[in-house]
Amino acid sequence: MTTANEVVNGSAAPAKVSYASDQEVRWCPGCGDYSILKQVETILKEQGKPKEEIVFISGIGCSSRFPYYLDTYGMHSIHGRAPAIVSGLRTVRPDLSVWMITGDGDSLSIGGNHLIHLLRRNVDVNVLLFNNEIYGLTKGQYSPTSPEGAVTRSTPMGSVDHPFNPLALCKGADATFIARAMDRDPKQLREVLTKADAHRGTSLIEIYQNCNVFNDGAFEVFTEKATKPFHTLFVEHDQPLVYANGTKGIKLDGMTPVIVDLTPGEALPDDLWIHDQHDPFKASILVRLFDDQDHEDAMPRPFGVFFISSRATLETKLNAQVALAKEKKGVGDLDALLSGERTWTIA
Amino acid sequence: MTTANEVVNGSAAPAKVSYASDQEVRWCPGCGDYSILKQVETILKEQGKPKEEIVFISGIGCSSRFPYYLDTYGMHSIHGRAPAIVSGLRTVRPDLSVWMITGDGDSLSIGGNHLIHLLRRNVDVNVLLFNNEIYGLTKGQYSPTSPEGAVTRSTPMGSVDHPFNPLALCKGADATFIARAMDRDPKQLREVLTKADAHRGTSLIEIYQNCNVFNDGAFEVFTEKATKPFHTLFVEHDQPLVYANGTKGIKLDGMTPVIVDLTPGEALPDDLWIHDQHDPFKASILVRLFDDQDHEDAMPRPFGVFFISSRATLETKLNAQVALAKEKKGVGDLDALLSGERTWTIA
Amino acid sequence: METPTRTKTVEERRNVVILFAGDSGDGIQLTGSQFTDTNALFGNDVSTFPNFPAEIRAPQGTMAGVSGYQLHFGSVELFTPGDQCDVLVVMNSAALRSNLATLKPGGTIIANSDGFDAKNLRLAGYIDNQDPLTDGSLANYTVHAIDITKMTRNALADTTLGMKEKDRSKNMFVLGFINWMYSRSLANSEKFLEGKFSRKPELLDANKKALLAGYNYGDTSETFTTRFEVKPAPMPKGTYRSITGNQGIAIGLIAAAQKAGLDLFYGSYPITPASDILHELSKNKNFGVKTFQAEDEIAAICSAIGASYGGALGATASSGPGIALKGEAMGLAFMLEIPLVIVNVQRGGPSTGLPTKTEQADLWQAIHGRNGEAPIPVLAASSPTDCFEMAYEAARIAIEHMTPVILLSDGYIANGAESWRFPEAKDLKPIKAPFAKPRAHGDMEKFLPYLRDENGVRPWAVPGMKGLQHRIGGIEKEDGTGNISYDPLNHEKMVRLRAEKVRRVVEDVPPLDISNGVDRGDLLILGWGSTYGAIRTAVNEMCAEGNCVGHLHLRYLFPFRKELGEILSHYKRVLIPEMNSGQLRQLIRAEFLIDAQGLNKIQGMPFTSAEIKAGAMQMLKDVK
Amino acid sequence: METPTRTKTVEERRNVVILFAGDSGDGIQLTGSQFTDTNALFGNDVSTFPNFPAEIRAPQGTMAGVSGYQLHFGSVELFTPGDQCDVLVVMNSAALRSNLATLKPGGTIIANSDGFDAKNLRLAGYIDNQDPLTDGSLANYTVHAIDITKMTRNALADTTLGMKEKDRSKNMFVLGFINWMYSRSLANSEKFLEGKFSRKPELLDANKKALLAGYNYGDTSETFTTRFEVKPAPMPKGTYRSITGNQGIAIGLIAAAQKAGLDLFYGSYPITPASDILHELSKNKNFGVKTFQAEDEIAAICSAIGASYGGALGATASSGPGIALKGEAMGLAFMLEIPLVIVNVQRGGPSTGLPTKTEQADLWQAIHGRNGEAPIPVLAASSPTDCFEMAYEAARIAIEHMTPVILLSDGYIANGAESWRFPEAKDLKPIKAPFAKPRAHGDMEKFLPYLRDENGVRPWAVPGMKGLQHRIGGIEKEDGTGNISYDPLNHEKMVRLRAEKVRRVVEDVPPLDISNGVDRGDLLILGWGSTYGAIRTAVNEMCAEGNCVGHLHLRYLFPFRKELGEILSHYKRVLIPEMNSGQLRQLIRAEFLIDAQGLNKIQGMPFTSAEIKAGAMQMLKDVK
Ligand SMILES: Cc1ncc(C[n+]2csc(CCOP(=O)(O)OP(=O)(O)O)c2C)c(N)n1
Ligand SMILES: Cc1ncc(C[n+]2csc(CCOP(=O)(O)OP(=O)(O)O)c2C)c(N)n1
Ligand code: SF4
Ligand code: SF4
Ligand SMILES: [Mg+2]
Ligand SMILES: [Mg+2]
């Protein structure tokens, strides 16, 4: 980027400086957003990347206020359009570290199309999808991830919309990095964030986030001590799918996943499903473990990194074409462009 | 629909009447759209449904001119928005037979979000997605389904966008009916159309359509006698996946599909993949058979009905709520509404 | 229940303005609306103005977190929530600091002293522990500092509730106290609580206790020697209710659909301050109302177009940014010539702007914000109750003239409430949908979907109607047949036919008449939308003071009624107050070539009548 | 090659208008543009008008399928493609029927007789085999019926091409013949063919053969006794090229980015007639141009916003329906106050309207089509060459004033070509981006992203600049800091500061001056956009005939330059011709309170100078 380079004068920031901005955080007390903000700030600190080389782009929603709270570059844009803004920004600035903050309404309702196109184009950005299964900022209407039957301000008789399975949708859009985390498990969240940041391409992280004002407890079964072990499945690359404190595992019967009982301590049956984060077919099934947790013998909900594949990013390919064009035709000569191919002269 | 019913006075149309309108068809000579129009008209004839009870809604594009050519009700709307128009129409008119006509740009570029929301909500409509892997009406720019590297008017150096796998995307959006067909195989197209029309819910049919002016031969390997058998795989419910005139089949190695050689006449190995159109997991893999046909030992491209599942339609659920509300609260009394719950009187 | 009463002096008041203010979490909106209700039921005229921040719960105790509810009630007819307040009820320091300016000199402050501890004072920006309640800075006001928190807790001592829950009842204590202060019975509030907490007996009990405690506190405490009384207002005979603008719009749309015998389909995407229309409508499915929360504003309007195409009344609403997204689809509806109601509940702009504040800056967008020649009738509601009438009218025009219609409201009247002498269903204007005549059997003549009647209106042929199949779209159409046509002269003809059809709409609306003041004279104040109350109040005062001023308020904004020019010519000067930079003014000047002046306020806050008056008096000076 | 020549009489012509017409598949556009090129290279002034249907290939032989290319070339300066044509070249019956009206009385018709068989005649709507070529109905014209199909086939008899391919060379036969008719050498056309078919020797050979055959046919056939000659035009000294409006815009944007030292990012979604800008730019990646075909218009403008935020020049273009979708994002760019160029190549509306036809009906949308108070500078190009200048200016203003800028063009000048004396890079106005000053090391003072300079312009701090991190967005901002602010007075202040910044833009553009005619007198014709050529031609003629008429053309449409009022006051009457219902007229009347009249044509076709003249003469009558 000609000028940016001229005027930019970055240099490594002193480690462990604070990445918080001077703005007071304005989320409701108890909102899950606080935890996510904290985890992000923590890993930024750990990495110690210069603040000026980091950009946060968000849409509109409670979650999208996020950029104001970090002392990096940031844009709080318009509802649903962050992916498009990110695409333009990265195309001209492949040198930056770009993060996108969005909500379930912002990215899956009004912004759904931009999100799937961002994923297929594989623009290099870390997408943090704050899923609270509700519209927070507009005070409690259901969202595309709210369960069917959800009684909200816009659905007094219960929602009639079948909700999206966000990760299945993203997989269908050929995402190259898919993961799930939650506000209430800071450690796992930081791990996932770190892996996401390491991935070159669009890293999509769905983060379950509690909206304690309009949808309190939506993810309780996954976050509460008592129920967490039996409803969550933390997947690790190359490791078998085991949960419930080692008392249960998952194997595949043909293409259908089934639950098997395990005896802790004993050797694991060797037909257990071994998680392979590079297997696109397995990933297509893994995202389908999406049972309603109220049903008994429901499959647990997977967390962690589901899938990683490497595919050249949009900006890499586009800038390669620019370089190639310059190489082939020579760096553009404005006068040649102005005169075009055929001219005539009046003397 | 109060009034519609009052004023509507339908009655079965005499069988075998022509469903063509009086408008001259304005596609380029040789365009694949002609064949699709013909197949649709044929099955409409066969069904003999009253013309006035059929509606075609389209967006914008060459393909979207379709409604003008049939003597049914029809709307040629705006670019990408047909799914939203259909959703409103069906909600108030569950009695009609509704078809949606769209192109790869119309439904997957500008209209992508409306399409995936239509699918998750499962509105009862037959969606005919004319995929010619190009923008026809605007004279030849690449589309979201154009292969990477495609040289078009907007990509002289080749497209840098990774294309959508349309059926994978639709599956990810929880479509309840997914199928693929092509303009050059009228019989199979009619079969698929018939099944789609029978399905209650959104029936998504991707139809490979040749744009002989801007993207001629895009699907040649699938349509030409010589190559067709080796690059196409016609799936039938309960039948094994066999192609290449019975010389090849597909089985699953774990979750990974692999090609096996077969000897025509001999009994089929029993580990062949048996197509089950009701298995969501298998469908997730089937849509992933999407290899570039130029690679040798590429998997063949599947055609036919991939997946069918039954889920209540949006309009059914919504109208049920309306009925329930009337039953519970009694049919709305306008005066009661006007006065509200608390009033006072000035005498 | 009967409420205890000790004799204390009672003073009568003509009208009173109370501003309740506190944290977003303090339940201020509830306290305010409850007391409004009680007074309305009692027979006062009421007008309210809720005012809250964009954050759901901005940090407790901060200025950013302050939520307010202003109530004006009186024994006389009222048109605004009041310029300044007589009583300011504040739950904490920030609430006091951010609202003191609106309190009349000598006004009363009722403060929750618990909200004035060091922390709260600091958060509110009172530096080096200066405390307004004690430092004498409020000398010119009557201050009642009450530890509402403590008293509420005491009142609920014997309940099993946790501290947090107990404190949530603070607002009921306030409500009880205010009820006592204005000599109101608690009956209505108790009835409300019984409804709200029917399934939570514990909370019901607690809230009732707090309510009563507040009442009794006023009654027993020696510090309060006088109560006030506001007699019922001499309003026109009839039955009344209180209504907000958004409720008015919802009910207006339902009423119109019912009168036309159509189902109402409402496609919308949530946005402040329009969302309540969706919430309201979704509660009325038993009227055949179908609400569809679309994936975005484009889908919202398109779904409504689909519904209208199917023979229902399609409607959609949003606010500025969302309306911006609907422009292309409005063009389609305009070309299809089908009924469609588009409501814009305006908020502060541009872009995301000030989501919870009010403004009138989307008028140009409504009239000019589309590609091509696409005139659409634009209506504007002038008050909460007028929202009902204008929504009804918008729907009537859309149906009978087969056209999209835009209705403008704004955050001020959308959330504000006033008393409404509601009509009876049978008295509402009838609405007749111009459905195409069913085909006589065997009639083979080609149906002409764009054959217009004397008003330029085309027939509404709905799918299912036998023999009337036809195809329509957004491409230019041949006159009559509706077939695609690129013919140059046909295009110009169609552009003019569509414009003429829309022009005819104004022949079907009430003639213009001045709202109040003189019908010819020195100055005309020309207004539109929510400035109505402030202008009317100002003009009444000015006339009372002997000025020659008139007030004309446009509710049908576009096209203009032909007599408008005539009326304008009856005044020496024309002043146009707007919460924008002068958008109506621009249209008036272009149409009538008169040097209309503007009075413009772009602060996210409504005009006070005093501001209107000042601007008008200034202009009158120039006249003389 | 040297072209054979027999002596025939040669007549000189001052200027000639030829209209080539045929099926969409006949290669008419190529024939036309090639002959344009040849004449331009020869030194004539040229002006063209391609005119085609919305369908890609409407059914062969039908009226709907007719595609036309009108060329005006002369030995004098030209401003339009001509009102009527001297020569009409038609490849079939439909082409004749749909264009005969534009042929001058006594004009020449060159018809491909093969296109007049029974089928073609019927398709064209000539009933009961009436044949215009033979039934004498063309008595007032000189008709040359040539079986172009047969002659082309004969010429290619010995090639290995199939019949279909042979017939594709018909247009080259025509081109060859026309070259002969106007005494032009085939050299340029052959050069072009060699380039086009460099990889297809067979086709190259065939096309050259057909070209030569056409030429020789004219030369040898006895029927043609005279050729014509059009001498070079006495144009200002310099080097010229021919350019279309869309090329002009593409080049203008690249030039501006280069002069500012920025990369150009172009985010766009294809739409007629704007797509060619995308096509053109995508060919120039070696200038650091990055083109992004977005998923829709919203993503297109938002990607451009992202690019500008990143320090590049972001630009986007579309036509009416697509621009309608960009309104909300324009509001964001306006609030962010970053450079952005938005081009609207207008087409017939409303809605999908007439995609391939021209119109000027999006002016209101450009100026008023957003929510809230969001004034954006609006420029309009008046000719193909002016598209370059205005695109450059739009970019310069966007960058130096940190604001989105809208540039209006339309289908007529977008596809039309004219000769252009192109500038040298060094002579282009310099452009300086207002980048924020880099932080001195250790400078800890808070950076103020909204601290304005004397022009009200804020500093452009691009990610990567150390110490200048800041957050911006669409919510109202506090003056200076840019932090979120709901403060009422701050909002009004910011609204006025942003408006003032935009107003200042006009102090940075050339003062207004009349284009031609008298600078005070009876009538001023005030125009904008593509009506320039027709008005200029009309005014020249009228002045020559002794009328007191002047022509002022606005290229910077909004805000108005302050001297505009003054200039308007120098004329008794003001006439505003527009291809809409009077959108500029409305703005002029509102601003200056003058009774400006309109001359309005809404037919998807440009004004002819005759139409302008007629309208103006009518008005002059009224003056006297
Ligand atoms: C164009 C537009 N439409 C609608 C809105 C109103 N709006 C703001 S945020 C939001 C959705 C918020 O939900 P989500 O994206 O899940 O974010 P959350 O508040 O839950 O974090 C909506 C509908 C808007 N600001 N702009
Ligand atoms: C809002 C809007 N944007 C862009 C266009 C221009 N446009 C018309 S059709 C089309 C895409 C056509 O491609 P596709 O949907 O694949 O249909 P096809 O012509 O190939 O059948 C585009 C970009 C438009 N008409 N409206
Ligand atoms: S409304 Fe919900 S999501 Fe929004 S800040 Fe409050 S708790 Fe968080
Ligand atoms: S351009 Fe292509 S898709 Fe369009 S009509 Fe012609 S052949 Fe068919
Ligand atoms: Mg949410
Ligand atoms: Mg296509």
Side-chain angles (χ1 to χ4, degrees), chain B residues 26-28 31-33 62 132 136-137 209-214, chain D residues 56-57:
Chain B
R26 292 190 182 177
W27 289 310
C28 304
C31 174
D33 292 354
C62 293
N132 53 13
L137 191 65
Q209 170 246 328
N210 190 46
C211 168
N212 56 301
V213 169
F214 296 112
Chain D
I56 303 308
R57 304 242 191 293

Side-chain angles (χ1 to χ4, degrees), chain A residues 26-28 31-33 62 132 136-137 209-214, chain C residues 56-57:
Chain A
R26 292 189 181 179
W27 288 309
C28 304
C31 175
D33 292 354
C62 293
N132 54 12
L137 192 64
Q209 170 247 326
N210 190 46
C211 167
N212 55 299
V213 170
F214 295 113
Chain C
I56 303 307
R57 304 241 190 294

